[in-house]
């Protein structure tokens, strides 16, 4: 019987005492959300809006809110897929301690992973926060202002600018999630990468840190990544079916 990709993954999952799952946009493509760097990905259709441009240019703010409310990047309003549910099972069965995600689509939480087990390095696109006082604003409350009246959202508390709670290029990384990601990375014995091209730093430093710390490194990604040569196992397969099959016999 030939060794199937899922068999190698099943062995790694069964042998691990404490898994950290690290996800990128590739885990959400099976939910209908385009990733960033595959052909037709988000960055092939629109340029990222840098944080300093959002803050300094009303046109950039208008474009950013237009993308949010017309769903241009496709992040919100989608459902979790088999890959998300398999990750949620790893957490529920206490095999995985946390999910470190670069994604902003809230699908790990939507698949049943408790919010405190999801470490969002690049924030979350499903709500907005004030850049001045941090007050949370729901997108649906802001939609009529912008869509019907063309007014750019400002904080209902302090009047400062409001932005979706994502970390834009040029914006500082969130301290607390970065600290928690470091702690989890150094405590695991298996670091499982699911669906990331591993080209964006500092997020892509975590798999290197895990490996250097003695953990096993498994990468499940459709295409090759720059970290494949330090990984213990590389599976260039679809995440949903592969992870589901690997967990079938996990007792
Ligand atoms: N199964 C396995 N791999 C997949 C699947 C799938 N169903 N779908 C896509 N992939 C792979 C692609 O081949 C690609 O290598 O997932 C990877 C996604 O890579 P990117 O599009 O670069 O996304 P990501 O690594 O998450 O980007 C990191 O870049 O622009 C920033 O903030 C943005 O968080 C994002 C960061």
């Amino acid at each position: 019987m030939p060794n199937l990709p899922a068999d190698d993954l099943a062995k790694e999952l069964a042998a691990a005492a404490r898994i950290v799952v690290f996800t990128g946009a590739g885990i959400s493509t099976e939910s209908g959300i385009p990733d960033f760097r595959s052909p037709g990905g988000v960055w092939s259709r629109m340029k990222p809006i840098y944080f300093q441009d959002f803050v300094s240019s009303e046109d950039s703010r208008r474009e950013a809110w237009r993308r949010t409310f017309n769903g241009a990047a496709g992040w919100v309003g989608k459902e979790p897929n088999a890959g998300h549910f398999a990750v949620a099972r790893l957490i529920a069965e206490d095999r995985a301690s946390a999910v470190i995600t670069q994604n902003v689509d809230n699908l790990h939480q939507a698949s049943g992973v408790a919010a405190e087990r999801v470490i969002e390095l690049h924030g979350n696109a499903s709500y907005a926060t004030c850049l001045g006082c941090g007050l949370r604003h729901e997108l649906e409350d802001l939609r009529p202002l912008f869509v019907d009246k063309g007014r750019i959202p400002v904080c209902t508390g302090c009047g400062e600018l409001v932005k979706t709670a994502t970390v834009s290029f040029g914006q500082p990384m969130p301290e607390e999630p970065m600290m928690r990601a470091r702690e989890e990375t150094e405590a695991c014995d298996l670091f499982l990468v699911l669906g990331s091209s591993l080209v964006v730093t500092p997020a892509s430093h975590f798999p290197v840190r895990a490996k250097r710390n003695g953990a096993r490194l498994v990468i499940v990604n459709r295409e090759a990544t720059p970290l494949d040569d330090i990984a213990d196992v590389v599976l260039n397969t679809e995440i949903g079916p592969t992870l589901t099959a690997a967990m079938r016999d996990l007792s």
Side-chain angles (χ1 to χ4, degrees):
M1 182 76 163
N3 205 17
L4 298 173
D7 296 341
D8 293 340
L9 180 54
K11 280 195 208 95
E12 295 292 335
L13 296 177
R18 184 180 172 128
I19 302 169
V20 158
V21 180
F22 177 92
T23 60
I27 195 171
S28 297
T29 56
E30 291 166 52
S31 295
I33 300 178
D35 65 16
F36 293 93
R37 295 173 181 82
S38 291
V42 174
W43 297 146
S44 70
R45 290 184 284 116
M46 60 182 86
K47 281 189 330 95
I49 294 175
Y50 278 67
F51 182 65
Q52 51 272 33
D53 294 334
F54 181 90
V55 171
S56 60
S57 147
E58 181 175 326
D59 287 350
S60 295
R61 286 194 289 279
R62 197 165 291 286
E63 170 60 13
W65 284 110
R66 189 188 63 74
R67 291 179 186 182
T68 295
F69 290 123
N70 74 5
W75 288 319
V76 290
K78 298 289 192 310
E79 296 300 318
N81 66 64
H84 294 103
F85 290 116
V87 169
R89 201 185 124 200
L90 288 174
I91 295 273
E93 293 175 359
D94 256 347
R95 294 174 185 277
S97 58
V99 187
I100 301 173
T101 188
Q102 302 172 93
N103 299 341
V104 296
D105 55 30
N106 206 59
L107 290 187
H108 285 303
Q109 294 91 328
S111 65
V113 180
E116 60 271 15
R117 298 286 198 103
V118 183
I119 301 173
E120 296 179 315
L121 299 180
H122 297 159
N124 189 306
S126 67
Y127 61 91
T129 49
C130 172
L131 296 180
C133 68
L135 184 66
R136 176 171 168 144
H137 292 66
E138 299 312 324
L139 297 182
E140 286 322 303
D141 297 339
L142 303 174
R143 180 186 295 274
L145 260 174
F146 182 76
V147 173
D148 303 339
K149 300 199 171 74
R151 283 174 41 203
I152 290 176
V154 291
C155 180
T156 52
C158 72
E160 284 296 326
L161 289 178
V162 166
K163 178 181 163 297
T164 52
T166 57
V167 178
S168 302
F169 284 105
Q171 196 167 356
M173 292 296 283
E175 280 174 24
E176 197 260 343
M178 286 295 286
M179 185 193 62
R180 284 191 58 212
R182 268 193 295 277
E183 286 165 2
E184 290 293 346
T185 296
E186 287 174 4
C188 75
D189 62 346
L190 173 59
F191 195 93
L192 175 61
V193 175
L194 301 174
S196 179
S197 59
L198 295 175
V199 296
V200 170
T201 59
S204 58
H205 291 160
F206 288 112
V208 177
R209 196 185 192 106
K211 190 66 198 152
R212 201 177 290 148
N213 200 46
R216 300 221 10 118
L217 175 59
V218 173
I219 298 173
V220 182
N221 199 60
R222 213 181 262 161
E223 290 154 14
T225 80
L227 299 186
D228 288 357
D229 55 353
I230 66 165
D232 296 282
V233 173
V234 176
L235 303 178
N236 297 128
T237 57
E238 295 298 296
I239 292 162
T242 306
L243 191 52
T244 304
M247 290 177 61
R248 192 160 294 128
D249 304 329
L250 217 48
S251 52

